[in-house]
Amino acid sequence: MDFDQVRRDWTTLGARDPLWAVSVAPDKRGGRWDVDEFLAQGRRDVARTREWLAALGLPTGWERVLDFGCGAGRLSQALAEFADEVVGVDVSVPMLETARALDHRRRRLADGGGTCRFVLNEAPDLHVFPSGSFDLVYSELVLQHLPWRVTAGYLAEFVRVLRPGAVALVQCTTRPMWTVKGMVWRVAPRPVVRLAQRVLLGYPAPMLMTAVPAARLRAVVRASGGEVVDTATTREPATHWVSSRYVIRKLSGER
């Protein structure tokens, strides 16, 4: 599995069923997500994150936020309530088209809130953004779908584009659970998983899942000039994976 294949898969998913691809639920396939319910889910996620950051004594409002892997803009819209500008970046043109349409709906229906801007990035880095240009980087349900070498590069980029002392909120899948489906993720070769998702589950395109051990993530962050401030790990029975969320702070302005 390489980055170009992931980009092609998510372009297909974005064209066929964008909201379901962002938030997978069996009863939401085929365009059955209610838009307001979908966006409310993003607001709950951001509220949970702001509570966590507040408990750590970190800012809960920002000038400029990067929503990495923004998809249909579920988190971008929620973050815009607490930021002057949110820049959503994604590899999928159809996903970005959906995000822009939903944000246009937001601006038509509501007053206030920051602006959202959506950027196509088809490279395994963030060279389109200068160093030290964001107060917050937010990535949820994204890195889990990338090969490790690509994830490692993006983690380093997250630290680079942060302003000194600013933080990134990053989610990664840590390991499969010890369930029947979790065992499949542990032992089945990826080509077999891809085929099963397409043929048996009827996915428009496969969704890769990658385990990222905490020690490996911490090493990349440290080498990039950052530190892990806090970690929260949860079991997610719906996906049969254990998932970890990290608050990462940039230590200096050297990068």
Side-chain angles (χ1 to χ4, degrees):
M1 172 66 70
D2 61 18
F3 178 77
D4 287 336
Q5 183 63 61
V6 173
R7 180 176 54 79
R8 289 192 294 270
D9 288 343
W10 282 89
T11 297
T12 299
L13 289 162
R16 296 278 297 276
D17 205 348
L19 304 193
W20 171 79
V22 169
S23 186
V24 175
D27 62 335
K28 305 298 184 183
R29 294 232 348 226
R32 290 198 293 269
W33 260 112
D34 175 79
V35 170
D36 290 327
E37 182 186 0
F38 175 79
L39 296 174
Q41 186 185 65
R43 290 194 296 273
R44 288 193 296 271
D45 287 348
V46 169
R48 177 187 63 186
T49 296
R50 292 181 72 245
E51 289 176 1
W52 188 12
L53 295 177
L56 295 171
L58 295 169
T60 56
W62 309 277
E63 181 181 336
R64 196 161 186 252
V65 174
L66 178 66
D67 179 9
F68 177 80
C70 64
R74 177 180 68 100
L75 295 172
S76 299
Q77 289 199 25
L79 289 163
E81 296 183 32
F82 309 101
D84 294 335
E85 181 186 31
V86 177
V87 180
V89 62
D90 206 277
V91 298
S92 169
V93 170
M95 282 290 190
L96 292 172
E97 290 172 349
T98 300
R100 292 187 184 105
L102 292 183
D103 188 57
H104 178 74
R105 174 181 180 271
R106 172 184 73 96
R107 289 184 282 111
R108 189 177 70 250
L109 296 177
D111 294 327
T115 61
C116 291
R117 180 165 64 91
F118 297 101
V119 177
L120 176 67
N121 182 49
E122 298 180 294
D125 57 49
L126 296 173
H127 71 272
V128 295
F129 302 114
S131 299
S133 54
F134 292 97
D135 303 297
L136 175 72
V137 175
Y138 200 119
S139 181
E140 180 95 10
L141 305 179
V142 178
L143 297 177
Q144 63 188 33
H145 297 305
L146 298 175
W148 162 246
R149 63 180 179 80
V150 177
T151 292
Y154 277 131
L155 287 168
E157 286 285 80
F158 292 169
V159 177
R160 180 185 67 80
V161 301
L162 283 172
R163 292 169 180 162
V167 301
L169 189 288
V170 175
Q171 175 266 343
C172 294
T173 38
T174 310
R175 62 185 182 277
M177 293 170 56
W178 291 103
T179 62
V180 173
K181 289 186 178 180
M183 288 297 294
V184 172
W185 282 111
R186 287 176 182 270
V187 303
R190 283 182 175 170
V192 172
V193 174
R194 287 179 60 84
L195 181 63
Q197 288 183 334
R198 289 292 304 272
V199 175
L200 299 180
L201 300 180
Y203 284 17
M207 296 183 187
L208 172 74
M209 296 290 279
T210 302
V212 179
R216 181 177 285 186
L217 179 142
R218 288 174 181 272
V220 171
V221 168
R222 184 168 56 250
S224 304
E227 65 174 350
V228 175
V229 176
D230 202 9
T231 307
T233 299
T234 57
R235 295 163 60 88
E236 299 181 350
T239 64
H240 299 269
W241 281 79
V242 175
S243 184
S244 295
R245 290 169 175 80
Y246 303 89
V247 177
I248 298 166
R249 179 165 51 200
K250 185 169 184 173
L251 290 176
S252 72
E254 296 177 0
R255 288 176 176 265

